[in-house]
Amino acid sequence: MRIPRLPALIASLISVVSLAGFAATSADPALVSAVASPARSPTAVARDPARHPVEELTFFGLKPTMTVVELWPGGGYWTDILAPYLAKSGHYYMALPPAGNAEEDAGMKRFRARIESEKDRLGTLHETTLGAGHFDIAPPGSADLVLTFRNFHNWMDGGYADQALAAAFKALKPGGILGIEDHRGRNDQPQDPKAKSGYVRQDYTIERVKKAGFEFVAASEVNANPRDTKDWVDGVWTLPPTLSQGDKDRARYIAVGESDNYVLEFRKPK
């Protein structure tokens, strides 16, 4: 591998640091307010120092008038921020996994019950489906921004990562943005095509998304964690918030914190 010349390397590092600083200093007050909402659960708020929601969403260029699609919102960490923020002037689509897995179905049932109970705060939520055989995540060419947080490895394991990327490309307007966050794999090891450990190499992700037709725009180090050595007994799930080993070495894993994550921005060509 060719090592970049020092000036180019320094320029690259300055660019990454500048992006993070820009996000922190130029955040929309309405977004800051949405993150600071007392309606958010204490469990979610406790994860903010690891997930940096204001900085990350600012990096992706989120605006209150946008049509935004979130792929696989999980327990709703980001829904609780995005939906109220977009409720007045934008549109929020959430593409959920298809039914079929008992554990996931139970989770979706709890998620739907919760958002129904908070519909006055969250506004109108447009539900679609993303999974094997289900890729109509929003009307074609309607979205300004498609976001996915720590899901790409799951689609690799399921064998439909390319179809998921194609769905995002189809849903986006020309010039629209795809934002991807996931657990960053080690560069000194080949990428497992199934990503069984939960980790995905950043360079692998960039190349795969570019093959789907996107232009790579920028990377942010806002969710980097150098304490994550990525060699855990149960992959990324060894670390918080899952802590798959229970009480065994719990203090050690909590001290490491949540995984090292890349944050990548791509654009659908105009």
Side-chain angles (χ1 to χ4, degrees):
M1 180 181 294
R2 179 179 296 176
I3 299 175
R5 293 182 178 178
L6 186 59
L9 179 59
I10 292 173
S12 176
L13 291 172
I14 290 173
S15 175
V16 170
V17 172
S18 298
L19 284 169
F22 174 80
T25 58
S26 63
D28 181 354
L31 177 58
V32 175
S33 179
V35 171
S37 170
R40 295 181 63 219
S41 74
T43 301
V45 172
R47 297 185 69 192
D48 288 353
R51 307 208 70 174
H52 304 96
V54 171
E55 293 87 347
E56 185 163 351
L57 292 174
T58 302
F59 171 74
F60 289 139
L62 177 69
K63 305 295 181 191
T65 56
M66 284 182 166
T67 294
V68 178
V69 184
E70 184 185 357
L71 310 180
W72 284 20
Y77 175 92
W78 296 95
T79 302
D80 282 338
I81 298 169
L82 290 166
Y85 178 77
L86 296 166
K88 183 178 179 180
S89 304
H91 297 90
Y92 173 66
Y93 285 80
M94 50 182 189
L96 306 179
N101 178 288
E103 183 178 350
E104 289 184 0
D105 290 350
M108 286 298 98
K109 184 177 180 179
R110 291 192 297 270
F111 175 69
R112 288 190 177 98
R114 183 171 70 81
I115 61 176
E116 175 63 24
S117 70
E118 300 184 58
K119 59 184 178 181
D120 290 342
R121 179 177 73 91
L122 298 176
T124 301
L125 308 181
H126 305 278
E127 182 180 329
T128 58
T129 305
L130 174 67
H134 301 272
F135 298 106
D136 293 324
I137 60 173
S142 66
D144 299 288
L145 183 61
V146 174
L147 298 172
T148 182
F149 305 94
R150 308 186 185 185
N151 293 311
F152 191 65
H153 64 277
N154 291 309
W155 305 334
M156 290 171 62
D157 186 37
Y160 49 84
D162 290 340
Q163 292 94 323
L165 293 174
F169 192 91
K170 181 179 179 181
L172 282 165
K173 300 173 181 177
I177 296 297
L178 170 64
I180 299 181
E181 174 196 323
D182 214 331
H183 314 291
R184 177 162 40 202
R186 293 170 56 157
N187 287 332
D188 62 348
Q189 297 179 356
Q191 178 62 51
D192 170 12
K194 290 289 187 178
K196 290 294 187 180
S197 68
Y199 288 100
V200 188
R201 286 177 53 143
Q202 179 169 321
D203 58 350
Y204 177 92
T205 305
I206 291 172
E207 288 308 309
R208 196 149 180 183
V209 179
K210 287 169 66 176
K211 286 181 180 178
F214 288 93
E215 301 169 342
F216 174 63
V217 178
S220 169
E221 291 296 294
V222 67
N223 285 338
N225 180 1
R227 296 183 300 276
D228 179 7
T229 55
K230 311 170 188 184
D231 55 359
W232 312 112
V233 62
D234 196 22
V236 70
W237 299 281
T238 309
L239 299 176
T242 305
L243 292 169
S244 65
Q245 303 306 297
D247 290 333
K248 183 179 179 181
D249 295 327
R250 187 181 186 88
R252 175 192 178 196
Y253 300 136
I254 290 175
V256 172
E258 296 197 25
S259 65
D260 177 39
N261 283 266
Y262 59 66
V263 176
L264 305 175
E265 180 182 357
F266 301 88
R267 180 186 295 113
K268 179 177 178 176
K270 293 184 178 180

